[in-house]
Amino acid sequence: MTRTQIWLSLGLNAFLTLFVFGSIAAFFVRGGKGNMKQRGSKALSYFTVDSNIFCAVTCLFACIWDVAALRHGGGLLPRWLDLLRYAGSVSVGVTFFTVLFYLLPVTRFDFGMMYAGRNLFLHALCPLAAMGNWAFLERSKALSFGWVFLGLVPTVLYGILYLRMVLIRKKWEDFYGFNKGGKWYVSLLLMLGLNLSICVGLWALR
């Protein structure tokens, strides 16, 4: 990575880290807005929140590496950090495209609910910053195609939790509407397909 790339990457990583953690803190201080009305730790039931927190943590690690790299003249991201950044970027990519292609056109949620206030950062700006940064600025040794399946892990883990809490324990309402008509398995296949498409798309752009 050149110094210019590192500076730009540092700026995006810092932006994402600050605004995600600021937005999450607001759930505890003022409560949720739009389609995410939960308050405090209950907000962790949303994939939007979980994916952004995961991505922000990977960006925080990347910020530390960026600063060190600027002091030592540049270099490539270590493999472990690059993979974390990839998985984090894919996870918020799932959030971004789910809002765009499912929640807006299919559910009762409208544009204002999805992008008002802090939701604009969690649903759009931070995901775009993360995906663009990993695909176009951050550099590491080339990833073989097999690594694309790593990007499925966050969604699969959340999907298992969601199914357990909604269908088995009935502790959560089906706030994403994935079990509408009892067809949770259709939603599962569609979400995995979307997730894999994002994995491949980011890998191809890199």
Side-chain angles (χ1 to χ4, degrees):
M1 294 171 66
T2 65
R3 289 184 64 85
T4 299
Q5 284 177 308
I6 296 173
W7 273 113
L8 291 172
S9 177
L10 175 60
L12 288 175
N13 284 326
F15 161 81
L16 193 150
T17 302
L18 290 173
F19 278 94
V20 166
F21 286 122
S23 297
I24 301 307
F27 281 100
F28 291 85
V29 177
R30 296 193 297 271
K33 292 184 177 180
N35 72 308
M36 296 188 291
K37 300 250 183 219
Q38 299 283 16
R39 189 181 185 90
S41 61
K42 291 183 178 180
L44 296 174
S45 60
Y46 299 120
F47 183 75
T48 294
V49 172
D50 298 337
S51 63
N52 273 275
I53 290 175
F54 173 47
C55 189
V57 170
T58 70
C59 288
L60 179 59
F61 288 148
C63 281
I64 296 170
W65 183 90
D66 288 336
V67 171
L70 286 170
R71 294 181 61 186
H72 295 94
L76 298 175
L77 284 175
R79 173 56 58 87
W80 67 268
L81 181 55
D82 192 43
L83 291 174
L84 280 177
R85 285 285 301 111
Y86 174 65
S89 298
V90 169
S91 67
V92 290
V94 172
T95 288
F96 177 81
F97 288 107
T98 299
V99 169
L100 206 59
F101 295 134
Y102 172 67
L103 293 179
L104 280 176
V106 175
T107 70
R108 67 186 185 280
F109 302 127
D110 59 26
F111 189 89
M113 294 179 73
M114 303 309 312
Y115 296 116
R118 75 186 75 111
N119 288 358
L120 177 64
F121 292 97
L122 298 178
H123 285 151
L125 298 183
C126 290
L128 286 172
M131 291 187 289
N133 195 8
W134 189 86
F136 300 115
L137 293 175
E138 295 178 334
R139 288 292 177 265
S140 184
K141 292 182 179 179
L143 296 179
S144 61
F145 183 78
W147 284 111
V148 302
F149 297 102
L150 177 68
L152 294 173
V153 174
T155 304
V156 169
L157 292 177
Y158 179 82
I160 293 171
L161 176 63
Y162 190 84
L163 289 174
R164 182 171 181 266
M165 297 302 286
V166 172
L167 295 181
I168 300 173
R169 298 191 63 190
K170 302 187 186 302
K171 295 288 187 179
W172 294 354
E173 65 172 304
D174 184 21
F175 40 78
Y176 289 125
F178 288 153
N179 193 40
K180 188 176 182 179
K183 296 183 179 180
W184 61 268
Y185 49 88
V186 175
S187 298
L188 177 64
L189 291 175
L190 290 175
M191 288 305 300
L192 287 176
L194 172 66
N195 194 171
L196 186 58
S197 297
I198 296 168
C199 291
V200 175
L202 277 183
W203 177 84
L205 285 173
R206 164 70 76 85

Tab-separated table of all heavy atoms in Angstrom, residues 35-83:
chain	number	residue	atom	x	y	z
A	35	ASN	N	-36.671	1.774	11.914
A	35	ASN	CA	-37.056	0.359	12.007
A	35	ASN	C	-36.384	-0.352	13.174
A	35	ASN	O	-36.656	-1.520	13.420
A	35	ASN	CB	-36.690	-0.363	10.703
A	35	ASN	CG	-35.188	-0.551	10.551
A	35	ASN	OD1	-34.435	0.409	10.665
A	35	ASN	ND2	-34.773	-1.769	10.290
A	36	MET	N	-35.498	0.367	13.890
A	36	MET	CA	-34.782	-0.245	15.015
A	36	MET	C	-35.139	0.518	16.286
A	36	MET	O	-34.467	1.464	16.674
A	36	MET	CB	-33.271	-0.225	14.756
A	36	MET	CG	-32.867	-1.069	13.571
A	36	MET	SD	-31.069	-1.249	13.381
A	36	MET	CE	-30.603	0.432	12.922
A	37	LYS	N	-36.209	0.112	16.942
A	37	LYS	CA	-36.752	0.855	18.079
A	37	LYS	C	-36.262	0.342	19.431
A	37	LYS	O	-36.627	0.890	20.466
A	37	LYS	CB	-38.286	0.781	18.049
A	37	LYS	CG	-38.873	1.367	16.773
A	37	LYS	CD	-39.578	2.641	17.065
A	37	LYS	CE	-40.222	3.186	15.787
A	37	LYS	NZ	-40.094	4.636	15.717
A	38	GLN	N	-35.503	-0.732	19.441
A	38	GLN	CA	-35.038	-1.285	20.715
A	38	GLN	C	-34.096	-0.325	21.430
A	38	GLN	O	-33.422	0.499	20.805
A	38	GLN	CB	-34.330	-2.617	20.489
A	38	GLN	CG	-35.198	-3.700	19.878
A	38	GLN	CD	-36.151	-4.316	20.891
A	38	GLN	OE1	-36.383	-3.770	21.960
A	38	GLN	NE2	-36.723	-5.449	20.556
A	39	ARG	N	-34.043	-0.456	22.742
A	39	ARG	CA	-33.196	0.417	23.552
A	39	ARG	C	-32.146	-0.417	24.284
A	39	ARG	O	-32.393	-1.548	24.661
A	39	ARG	CB	-34.047	1.175	24.573
A	39	ARG	CG	-33.289	2.266	25.327
A	39	ARG	CD	-34.185	2.966	26.327
A	39	ARG	NE	-33.499	4.085	26.968
A	39	ARG	CZ	-33.508	5.321	26.514
A	39	ARG	NH1	-34.212	5.610	25.429
A	39	ARG	NH2	-32.841	6.284	27.134
A	40	GLY	N	-30.968	0.169	24.457
A	40	GLY	CA	-29.905	-0.480	25.209
A	40	GLY	C	-29.419	-1.756	24.540
A	40	GLY	O	-29.347	-1.860	23.320
A	41	SER	N	-29.118	-2.758	25.352
A	41	SER	CA	-28.542	-4.006	24.845
A	41	SER	C	-29.504	-4.782	23.950
A	41	SER	O	-29.078	-5.649	23.187
A	41	SER	CB	-28.086	-4.883	26.013
A	41	SER	OG	-29.184	-5.214	26.842
A	42	LYS	N	-30.797	-4.470	24.036
A	42	LYS	CA	-31.767	-5.149	23.172
A	42	LYS	C	-31.523	-4.844	21.702
A	42	LYS	O	-31.950	-5.599	20.831
A	42	LYS	CB	-33.195	-4.760	23.561
A	42	LYS	CG	-33.639	-5.301	24.912
A	42	LYS	CD	-35.074	-4.938	25.205
A	42	LYS	CE	-35.529	-5.521	26.546
A	42	LYS	NZ	-36.937	-5.161	26.846
A	43	ALA	N	-30.827	-3.746	21.429
A	43	ALA	CA	-30.508	-3.394	20.044
A	43	ALA	C	-29.570	-4.412	19.400
A	43	ALA	O	-29.473	-4.496	18.172
A	43	ALA	CB	-29.879	-2.005	19.989
A	44	LEU	N	-28.893	-5.208	20.232
A	44	LEU	CA	-27.983	-6.226	19.706
A	44	LEU	C	-28.732	-7.361	19.005
A	44	LEU	O	-28.118	-8.227	18.393
A	44	LEU	CB	-27.122	-6.795	20.832
A	44	LEU	CG	-26.160	-5.807	21.498
A	44	LEU	CD1	-25.482	-6.457	22.693
A	44	LEU	CD2	-25.129	-5.291	20.502
A	45	SER	N	-30.050	-7.355	19.091
A	45	SER	CA	-30.825	-8.363	18.380
A	45	SER	C	-30.870	-8.090	16.879
A	45	SER	O	-31.227	-8.966	16.095
A	45	SER	CB	-32.258	-8.430	18.923
A	45	SER	OG	-32.924	-7.181	18.765
A	46	TYR	N	-30.504	-6.875	16.463
A	46	TYR	CA	-30.524	-6.515	15.045
A	46	TYR	C	-29.197	-6.878	14.375
A	46	TYR	O	-28.124	-6.551	14.877
A	46	TYR	CB	-30.758	-5.022	14.863
A	46	TYR	CG	-32.062	-4.509	15.411
A	46	TYR	CD1	-32.083	-3.533	16.395
A	46	TYR	CD2	-33.282	-4.993	14.946
A	46	TYR	CE1	-33.272	-3.040	16.905
A	46	TYR	CE2	-34.479	-4.514	15.451
A	46	TYR	CZ	-34.466	-3.547	16.432
A	46	TYR	OH	-35.644	-3.059	16.940
A	47	PHE	N	-29.287	-7.511	13.207
A	47	PHE	CA	-28.068	-7.817	12.458
A	47	PHE	C	-27.357	-6.539	12.044
A	47	PHE	O	-26.124	-6.504	11.979
A	47	PHE	CB	-28.398	-8.651	11.214
A	47	PHE	CG	-27.173	-9.064	10.431
A	47	PHE	CD1	-26.355	-10.074	10.889
A	47	PHE	CD2	-26.828	-8.412	9.248
A	47	PHE	CE1	-25.213	-10.449	10.191
A	47	PHE	CE2	-25.701	-8.776	8.542
A	47	PHE	CZ	-24.894	-9.800	9.009
A	48	THR	N	-28.111	-5.494	11.754
A	48	THR	CA	-27.502	-4.206	11.406
A	48	THR	C	-26.520	-3.773	12.479
A	48	THR	O	-25.391	-3.373	12.179
A	48	THR	CB	-28.588	-3.129	11.237
A	48	THR	OG1	-29.395	-3.432	10.111
A	48	THR	CG2	-27.962	-1.748	11.051
A	49	VAL	N	-26.931	-3.840	13.726
A	49	VAL	CA	-26.092	-3.420	14.841
A	49	VAL	C	-24.895	-4.357	14.992
A	49	VAL	O	-23.744	-3.914	15.103
A	49	VAL	CB	-26.913	-3.368	16.141
A	49	VAL	CG1	-26.006	-3.132	17.350
A	49	VAL	CG2	-27.976	-2.280	16.053
A	50	ASP	N	-25.157	-5.652	14.974
A	50	ASP	CA	-24.076	-6.632	15.161
A	50	ASP	C	-23.034	-6.541	14.051
A	50	ASP	O	-21.825	-6.580	14.318
A	50	ASP	CB	-24.650	-8.053	15.210
A	50	ASP	CG	-25.599	-8.247	16.378
A	50	ASP	OD1	-25.494	-7.496	17.359
A	50	ASP	OD2	-26.450	-9.149	16.300
A	51	SER	N	-23.501	-6.444	12.806
A	51	SER	CA	-22.564	-6.403	11.679
A	51	SER	C	-21.722	-5.137	11.714
A	51	SER	O	-20.518	-5.163	11.427
A	51	SER	CB	-23.321	-6.500	10.349
A	51	SER	OG	-24.186	-5.396	10.158
A	52	ASN	N	-22.335	-4.005	12.088
A	52	ASN	CA	-21.581	-2.756	12.148
A	52	ASN	C	-20.577	-2.759	13.289
A	52	ASN	O	-19.462	-2.244	13.146
A	52	ASN	CB	-22.535	-1.566	12.280
A	52	ASN	CG	-23.020	-1.053	10.932
A	52	ASN	OD1	-22.358	-0.239	10.290
A	52	ASN	ND2	-24.178	-1.536	10.505
A	53	ILE	N	-20.942	-3.343	14.433
A	53	ILE	CA	-19.993	-3.439	15.534
A	53	ILE	C	-18.799	-4.306	15.141
A	53	ILE	O	-17.636	-3.936	15.360
A	53	ILE	CB	-20.665	-4.013	16.799
A	53	ILE	CG1	-21.650	-3.007	17.384
A	53	ILE	CG2	-19.613	-4.386	17.855
A	53	ILE	CD1	-22.441	-3.537	18.569
A	54	PHE	N	-19.085	-5.462	14.555
A	54	PHE	CA	-18.002	-6.350	14.106
A	54	PHE	C	-17.088	-5.633	13.130
A	54	PHE	O	-15.860	-5.652	13.258
A	54	PHE	CB	-18.603	-7.607	13.477
A	54	PHE	CG	-17.604	-8.514	12.823
A	54	PHE	CD1	-16.426	-8.866	13.475
A	54	PHE	CD2	-17.830	-9.012	11.549
A	54	PHE	CE1	-15.488	-9.705	12.872
A	54	PHE	CE2	-16.913	-9.855	10.937
A	54	PHE	CZ	-15.732	-10.195	11.594
A	55	CYS	N	-17.689	-4.962	12.144
A	55	CYS	CA	-16.895	-4.259	11.145
A	55	CYS	C	-16.081	-3.134	11.779
A	55	CYS	O	-14.912	-2.928	11.442
A	55	CYS	CB	-17.804	-3.715	10.049
A	55	CYS	SG	-16.904	-3.041	8.629
A	56	ALA	N	-16.691	-2.397	12.711
A	56	ALA	CA	-15.987	-1.291	13.365
A	56	ALA	C	-14.787	-1.781	14.167
A	56	ALA	O	-13.752	-1.109	14.202
A	56	ALA	CB	-16.952	-0.520	14.269
A	57	VAL	N	-14.919	-2.936	14.809
A	57	VAL	CA	-13.784	-3.493	15.553
A	57	VAL	C	-12.640	-3.832	14.595
A	57	VAL	O	-11.473	-3.539	14.885
A	57	VAL	CB	-14.218	-4.744	16.345
A	57	VAL	CG1	-13.004	-5.469	16.921
A	57	VAL	CG2	-15.178	-4.368	17.463
A	58	THR	N	-12.969	-4.409	13.437
A	58	THR	CA	-11.911	-4.716	12.464
A	58	THR	C	-11.279	-3.433	11.940
A	58	THR	O	-10.076	-3.387	11.686
A	58	THR	CB	-12.458	-5.541	11.279
A	58	THR	OG1	-13.308	-4.745	10.448
A	58	THR	CG2	-13.219	-6.761	11.765
A	59	CYS	N	-12.086	-2.371	11.785
A	59	CYS	CA	-11.555	-1.090	11.321
A	59	CYS	C	-10.673	-0.437	12.380
A	59	CYS	O	-9.694	0.238	12.042
A	59	CYS	CB	-12.702	-0.146	10.950
A	59	CYS	SG	-13.556	-0.590	9.431
A	60	LEU	N	-11.011	-0.643	13.651
A	60	LEU	CA	-10.171	-0.115	14.725
A	60	LEU	C	-8.792	-0.767	14.695
A	60	LEU	O	-7.759	-0.083	14.812
A	60	LEU	CB	-10.842	-0.362	16.075
A	60	LEU	CG	-10.075	0.110	17.320
A	60	LEU	CD1	-9.814	1.603	17.259
A	60	LEU	CD2	-10.848	-0.249	18.580
A	61	PHE	N	-8.762	-2.080	14.509
A	61	PHE	CA	-7.475	-2.769	14.358
A	61	PHE	C	-6.715	-2.231	13.146
A	61	PHE	O	-5.496	-2.038	13.195
A	61	PHE	CB	-7.686	-4.278	14.187
A	61	PHE	CG	-8.129	-4.985	15.429
A	61	PHE	CD1	-8.962	-6.089	15.351
A	61	PHE	CD2	-7.721	-4.565	16.679
A	61	PHE	CE1	-9.384	-6.754	16.490
A	61	PHE	CE2	-8.125	-5.218	17.836
A	61	PHE	CZ	-8.965	-6.319	17.734
A	62	ALA	N	-7.458	-1.980	12.053
A	62	ALA	CA	-6.829	-1.477	10.839
A	62	ALA	C	-6.280	-0.065	11.047
A	62	ALA	O	-5.233	0.282	10.491
A	62	ALA	CB	-7.828	-1.487	9.683
A	63	CYS	N	-6.982	0.759	11.848
A	63	CYS	CA	-6.480	2.103	12.161
A	63	CYS	C	-5.119	2.022	12.841
A	63	CYS	O	-4.190	2.784	12.507
A	63	CYS	CB	-7.468	2.833	13.079
A	63	CYS	SG	-8.906	3.544	12.270
A	64	ILE	N	-4.999	1.121	13.789
A	64	ILE	CA	-3.729	0.955	14.508
A	64	ILE	C	-2.642	0.538	13.529
A	64	ILE	O	-1.513	1.063	13.561
A	64	ILE	CB	-3.888	-0.085	15.635
A	64	ILE	CG1	-4.897	0.420	16.680
A	64	ILE	CG2	-2.541	-0.384	16.285
A	64	ILE	CD1	-5.294	-0.627	17.702
A	65	TRP	N	-2.976	-0.403	12.620
A	65	TRP	CA	-1.989	-0.843	11.637
A	65	TRP	C	-1.637	0.298	10.686
A	65	TRP	O	-0.461	0.478	10.331
A	65	TRP	CB	-2.525	-2.033	10.835
A	65	TRP	CG	-1.505	-2.556	9.868
A	65	TRP	CD1	-0.578	-3.518	10.104
A	65	TRP	CD2	-1.303	-2.108	8.525
A	65	TRP	NE1	0.203	-3.701	8.989
A	65	TRP	CE2	-0.221	-2.850	8.002
A	65	TRP	CE3	-1.920	-1.162	7.714
A	65	TRP	CZ2	0.249	-2.670	6.711
A	65	TRP	CZ3	-1.446	-0.968	6.424
A	65	TRP	CH2	-0.378	-1.723	5.931
A	66	ASP	N	-2.632	1.092	10.264
A	66	ASP	CA	-2.396	2.203	9.337
A	66	ASP	C	-1.407	3.202	9.923
A	66	ASP	O	-0.494	3.672	9.239
A	66	ASP	CB	-3.713	2.922	9.014
A	66	ASP	CG	-4.625	2.107	8.109
A	66	ASP	OD1	-4.119	1.250	7.370
A	66	ASP	OD2	-5.842	2.334	8.157
A	67	VAL	N	-1.611	3.539	11.194
A	67	VAL	CA	-0.708	4.491	11.842
A	67	VAL	C	0.709	3.933	11.897
A	67	VAL	O	1.688	4.641	11.602
A	67	VAL	CB	-1.220	4.833	13.266
A	67	VAL	CG1	-0.180	5.650	14.025
A	67	VAL	CG2	-2.540	5.588	13.189
A	68	ALA	N	0.831	2.668	12.255
A	68	ALA	CA	2.156	2.038	12.309
A	68	ALA	C	2.790	1.979	10.920
A	68	ALA	O	3.995	2.220	10.764
A	68	ALA	CB	2.037	0.633	12.900
A	69	ALA	N	1.964	1.689	9.906
A	69	ALA	CA	2.477	1.598	8.537
A	69	ALA	C	2.969	2.959	8.048
A	69	ALA	O	3.983	3.043	7.338
A	69	ALA	CB	1.389	1.065	7.609
A	70	LEU	N	2.279	4.036	8.401
A	70	LEU	CA	2.723	5.373	8.000
A	70	LEU	C	4.073	5.717	8.621
A	70	LEU	O	4.907	6.383	8.007
A	70	LEU	CB	1.674	6.412	8.413
A	70	LEU	CG	0.392	6.430	7.574
A	70	LEU	CD1	-0.651	7.326	8.216
A	70	LEU	CD2	0.679	6.881	6.145
A	71	ARG	N	4.279	5.244	9.829
A	71	ARG	CA	5.557	5.505	10.503
A	71	ARG	C	6.699	4.705	9.894
A	71	ARG	O	7.864	5.112	9.972
A	71	ARG	CB	5.442	5.189	11.991
A	71	ARG	CG	4.495	6.099	12.763
A	71	ARG	CD	4.455	5.729	14.226
A	71	ARG	NE	5.766	5.858	14.862
A	71	ARG	CZ	6.038	5.486	16.096
A	71	ARG	NH1	5.087	4.929	16.849
A	71	ARG	NH2	7.255	5.636	16.595
A	72	HIS	N	6.363	3.556	9.294
A	72	HIS	CA	7.417	2.666	8.788
A	72	HIS	C	7.435	2.570	7.263
A	72	HIS	O	8.028	1.654	6.701
A	72	HIS	CB	7.250	1.268	9.395
A	72	HIS	CG	7.440	1.234	10.877
A	72	HIS	ND1	6.403	1.346	11.767
A	72	HIS	CD2	8.581	1.139	11.635
A	72	HIS	CE1	6.872	1.299	13.010
A	72	HIS	NE2	8.186	1.173	12.963
A	73	GLY	N	6.754	3.481	6.593
A	73	GLY	CA	6.886	3.560	5.145
A	73	GLY	C	5.940	2.692	4.340
A	73	GLY	O	6.218	2.402	3.166
A	74	GLY	N	4.833	2.224	4.899
A	74	GLY	CA	3.855	1.462	4.125
A	74	GLY	C	4.010	-0.033	4.283
A	74	GLY	O	4.705	-0.520	5.170
A	75	GLY	N	3.366	-0.757	3.391
A	75	GLY	CA	3.398	-2.210	3.437
A	75	GLY	C	2.033	-2.804	3.183
A	75	GLY	O	1.063	-2.078	2.914
A	76	LEU	N	1.935	-4.128	3.248
A	76	LEU	CA	0.686	-4.836	3.027
A	76	LEU	C	0.050	-5.220	4.360
A	76	LEU	O	0.749	-5.500	5.333
A	76	LEU	CB	0.928	-6.103	2.202
A	76	LEU	CG	1.494	-5.924	0.796
A	76	LEU	CD1	1.784	-7.291	0.178
A	76	LEU	CD2	0.528	-5.140	-0.085
A	77	LEU	N	-1.278	-5.245	4.396
A	77	LEU	CA	-1.972	-5.706	5.588
A	77	LEU	C	-1.569	-7.150	5.890
A	77	LEU	O	-1.459	-7.964	4.966
A	77	LEU	CB	-3.489	-5.673	5.381
A	77	LEU	CG	-4.221	-4.330	5.432
A	77	LEU	CD1	-5.684	-4.565	5.081
A	77	LEU	CD2	-4.109	-3.691	6.791
A	78	PRO	N	-1.352	-7.481	7.142
A	78	PRO	CA	-1.104	-8.896	7.465
A	78	PRO	C	-2.333	-9.720	7.119
A	78	PRO	O	-3.462	-9.220	7.156
A	78	PRO	CB	-0.846	-8.865	8.972
A	78	PRO	CG	-1.464	-7.599	9.458
A	78	PRO	CD	-1.348	-6.621	8.336
A	79	ARG	N	-2.139	-10.979	6.793
A	79	ARG	CA	-3.227	-11.823	6.317
A	79	ARG	C	-4.385	-11.878	7.314
A	79	ARG	O	-5.550	-11.775	6.935
A	79	ARG	CB	-2.697	-13.225	6.014
A	79	ARG	CG	-3.750	-14.291	5.661
A	79	ARG	CD	-4.642	-13.883	4.484
A	79	ARG	NE	-3.901	-13.611	3.287
A	79	ARG	CZ	-3.559	-14.532	2.383
A	79	ARG	NH1	-3.890	-15.796	2.571
A	79	ARG	NH2	-2.905	-14.185	1.302
A	80	TRP	N	-4.096	-12.032	8.605
A	80	TRP	CA	-5.163	-12.156	9.606
A	80	TRP	C	-6.050	-10.916	9.637
A	80	TRP	O	-7.271	-11.017	9.749
A	80	TRP	CB	-4.586	-12.435	10.994
A	80	TRP	CG	-3.789	-11.303	11.585
A	80	TRP	CD1	-2.439	-11.098	11.479
A	80	TRP	CD2	-4.291	-10.209	12.371
A	80	TRP	NE1	-2.071	-9.955	12.145
A	80	TRP	CE2	-3.178	-9.385	12.705
A	80	TRP	CE3	-5.556	-9.854	12.833
A	80	TRP	CZ2	-3.311	-8.226	13.464
A	80	TRP	CZ3	-5.694	-8.700	13.595
A	80	TRP	CH2	-4.586	-7.898	13.902
A	81	LEU	N	-5.417	-9.743	9.516
A	81	LEU	CA	-6.184	-8.500	9.554
A	81	LEU	C	-6.975	-8.313	8.269
A	81	LEU	O	-8.123	-7.855	8.290
A	81	LEU	CB	-5.244	-7.313	9.784
A	81	LEU	CG	-5.906	-5.937	9.873
A	81	LEU	CD1	-7.003	-5.905	10.936
A	81	LEU	CD2	-4.852	-4.861	10.165
A	82	ASP	N	-6.379	-8.691	7.155
A	82	ASP	CA	-7.084	-8.584	5.875
A	82	ASP	C	-8.330	-9.469	5.859
A	82	ASP	O	-9.390	-9.056	5.376
A	82	ASP	CB	-6.138	-8.985	4.742
A	82	ASP	CG	-6.689	-8.629	3.370
A	82	ASP	OD1	-7.227	-7.506	3.217
A	82	ASP	OD2	-6.594	-9.463	2.457
A	83	LEU	N	-8.224	-10.666	6.414
A	83	LEU	CA	-9.378	-11.566	6.459
A	83	LEU	C	-10.466	-11.042	7.391
A	83	LEU	O	-11.661	-11.152	7.081
A	83	LEU	CB	-8.933	-12.965	6.902
A	83	LEU	CG	-8.074	-13.739	5.894
A	83	LEU	CD1	-7.576	-15.044	6.510
A	83	LEU	CD2	-8.859	-14.027	4.612
